[in-house]
Amino acid sequence: MTLPSAAPKHKLGLIGATALVMGNIIGVGVYMLPASLAPFGWNTITGWGITLSGSLCLAWVFAVLARHLPHAGGATGILGMALGPAPAFVTAWGYWVSAAVSNAAICIGGVSYLGRLVPPLAQSPTLSAITGCAVLWLLTALNSRGLKASGATQVITTVVKLLPFVMVILVTMLLLFTNGMASIAPFDASTLTWTGATGAAALTLYSMLGLECAAMPADVVNNPERTVPRATMLGTILSGLLSLAVTGALVLLMPAAQLALSAAPLADFVTPTLGSAFGVVITVCVIIGAFGALNGWVLVVAELPAALADQQMLPPWWGVRNARGAATNSVVVSGVLASILIALSASPRLSNAYQFVLLLSTSTSLILYLLAPVGALVLARRGVVPRSAGLVIAAVGAIAFALSAYAGAGRDAVLWGLVLTAAGIPLYIVMARRRALT
């Protein structure tokens, strides 16, 4: 998400900037995440501890870079300054892959909840996959015609997608008030392992993707030297704690076997306490939030490679636009990639397809999370940004976090992520040779 570079008439204060940060981070993955976390038990809490610590380190790095380099062109421009055009391209391409894969995850999760209202979807993986692809291409067609959701619509969908969080926290409080600690799964220290913690962290990181968007350009906030870092850190903390509260509540308060098989975890959690009507309300909220988010991300995954084409890092074909200005070729390629993953989710051989898609999206985004702090250290050494103990500690912590997340994501997700990321390198080499000849 990119904010306008021109100075707006009304600038954001701490509250407005923090709200923007939270809006960027909180997505729809958290609605399905508890089912994937069910096998991890109490390791979910330690995994969230790793994710929150690493996210705060990353947030600080992005906040410092945004404060001192607000007009560098975002992460790609900053990495280009620090490490050169090739690492900047690989990072941008990997982020595009992550976003396209995330669109598949949004479709799978949204249709999974839709199955609560339309039972045939829950009974037929094939029909569910077809529906997911249909929704994806419908929104792709709408975006290609230049239709954009209004700001008011985005605000409404943001509020709607937070309602399930409120209901889950309410039910958690009621259960604890009624049954006390007996409601919580027994704690067994012997089940806590580093492998379990990093595995859970790789999944929980998906709920924090988007924190790189948090560090807004300095010219849209009041007193940016103080507001940007504070809003970034505060928004990251609040988003992380909210997601931790929701996922942790379901993992520790629902039977693991039931949670692992749930196609709509939040709805299944509140229904026994509040009634089926509230389960339906949550289901509707999740569907609106999911497909509302998908509408915006369809546009994002189209614009990312088109922007690289405009910078002559990809062949001009990727930047072709129709009469309404939509990047038609880019949006088609992005849609095809997401559709393949959605179709694979219907295969009986991939019982954990949704979890694999989450890990694939996370592993491809880790390129940015690994190289951004490296770039920050390089720029600090050159004196481009002030070198401070806080920046060095945050950058080292972010690097360690990214490496541990790679380990937790598992071999298959990391290897497929590397393959998809490497697929863009030949295109970059071709364009680099063309630029050298001109």
Side-chain angles (χ1 to χ4, degrees):
M1 180 177 181
T2 304
L3 295 174
S5 57
K9 181 178 181 180
H10 301 289
K11 295 190 176 184
L12 295 173
L14 179 60
I15 295 177
T18 302
L20 178 61
V21 170
M22 295 183 67
N24 286 336
I25 294 176
I26 295 178
V28 297
V30 69
Y31 300 132
M32 290 291 292
L33 188 59
S36 299
L37 290 172
F40 292 93
W42 279 92
N43 283 296
T44 297
I45 307 303
T46 55
W48 264 114
I50 295 173
T51 294
L52 286 176
S53 300
S55 296
L56 289 175
C57 289
L58 283 165
W60 185 256
V61 170
F62 284 118
V64 171
L65 292 175
R67 179 173 60 181
H68 296 286
L69 301 169
H71 304 296
T76 303
I78 291 173
L79 286 175
M81 293 173 56
L83 305 177
F89 170 81
V90 171
T91 301
W93 180 270
Y95 190 79
W96 168 70
V97 171
S98 176
V101 172
S102 182
N103 279 355
I106 292 173
C107 285
I108 296 171
V111 172
S112 181
Y113 270 83
L114 184 60
R116 289 289 296 262
L117 304 179
V118 186
L121 292 177
Q123 299 165 3
S124 172
T126 300
L127 180 59
S128 179
I130 292 174
T131 303
C133 289
V135 171
L136 173 68
W137 285 103
L138 173 62
L139 293 177
T140 297
L142 290 176
N143 274 279
S144 295
R145 292 179 61 83
L147 299 180
K148 298 181 181 179
S150 67
T153 300
Q154 294 300 330
V155 170
I156 292 172
T157 56
T158 299
V159 172
V160 166
K161 73 181 180 181
L162 289 178
L163 290 178
F165 289 65
V166 176
M167 293 186 193
V168 168
I169 293 173
L170 174 61
V171 170
T172 300
M173 294 173 64
L174 290 173
L175 291 176
L176 292 177
F177 179 78
T178 304
N179 303 320
M181 299 303 291
S183 304
I184 302 177
F187 175 75
D188 183 358
S190 65
T191 62
L192 298 179
T193 64
W194 176 249
T195 300
T198 55
L203 288 169
T204 55
L205 175 58
Y206 182 77
S207 293
M208 299 301 292
L209 297 185
L211 63 87
E212 68 279 352
C213 303
M216 68 290 294
D219 53 10
V220 302
V221 298
N222 285 317
N223 195 7
E225 291 76 13
R226 292 170 58 87
T227 303
V228 169
R230 289 183 177 185
T232 300
M233 301 303 289
L234 184 59
T236 301
I237 291 172
L238 292 176
S239 299
L241 291 178
L242 187 58
S243 298
L244 165 60
V246 171
T247 57
L250 269 66
V251 169
L252 299 181
L253 294 175
M254 283 184 70
Q258 177 189 354
L259 179 60
L261 296 176
S262 176
L266 274 66
D268 288 339
F269 179 69
V270 305
T271 295
T273 302
L274 300 181
S276 58
F278 284 90
V280 172
V281 170
I282 279 190
T283 300
V284 172
C285 289
V286 172
I287 294 169
I288 293 174
F291 296 141
L294 181 63
N295 180 63
W297 277 104
V298 165
L299 181 62
V300 170
V301 295
E303 290 300 322
L304 279 170
L308 291 175
D310 292 341
Q311 298 170 24
Q312 296 185 332
M313 289 187 175
L314 281 178
W317 181 87
W318 289 82
V320 172
R321 297 179 182 274
N322 61 20
R324 296 179 176 87
T328 50
N329 292 343
S330 293
V331 78
V332 168
V333 175
S334 303
V336 169
L337 175 57
S339 296
I340 291 173
L341 293 171
I342 295 171
L344 289 175
S345 69
S347 171
R349 297 182 180 180
L350 295 176
S351 58
N352 293 321
Y354 182 74
Q355 180 173 321
F356 175 76
V357 171
L358 291 189
L359 292 174
L360 180 58
S361 178
T362 299
S363 65
T364 48
S365 69
L366 285 173
I367 300 172
L368 170 63
Y369 293 164
L370 178 63
L371 293 185
V374 171
L377 292 176
V378 170
L379 293 175
R381 183 177 180 181
R382 294 178 185 169
V384 177
V385 298
R387 183 175 182 177
S388 65
L391 177 59
V392 173
I393 293 173
V396 172
I399 293 171
F401 170 61
L403 293 175
S404 69
Y406 267 121
R411 182 185 62 184
D412 290 346
V414 171
L415 288 179
W416 276 107
L418 291 176
V419 168
L420 291 173
T421 302
I425 295 178
L427 298 174
Y428 175 80
I429 293 175
V430 169
M431 293 305 298
R433 289 179 176 175
R434 288 183 182 180
R435 292 195 303 271
L437 295 175
T438 58

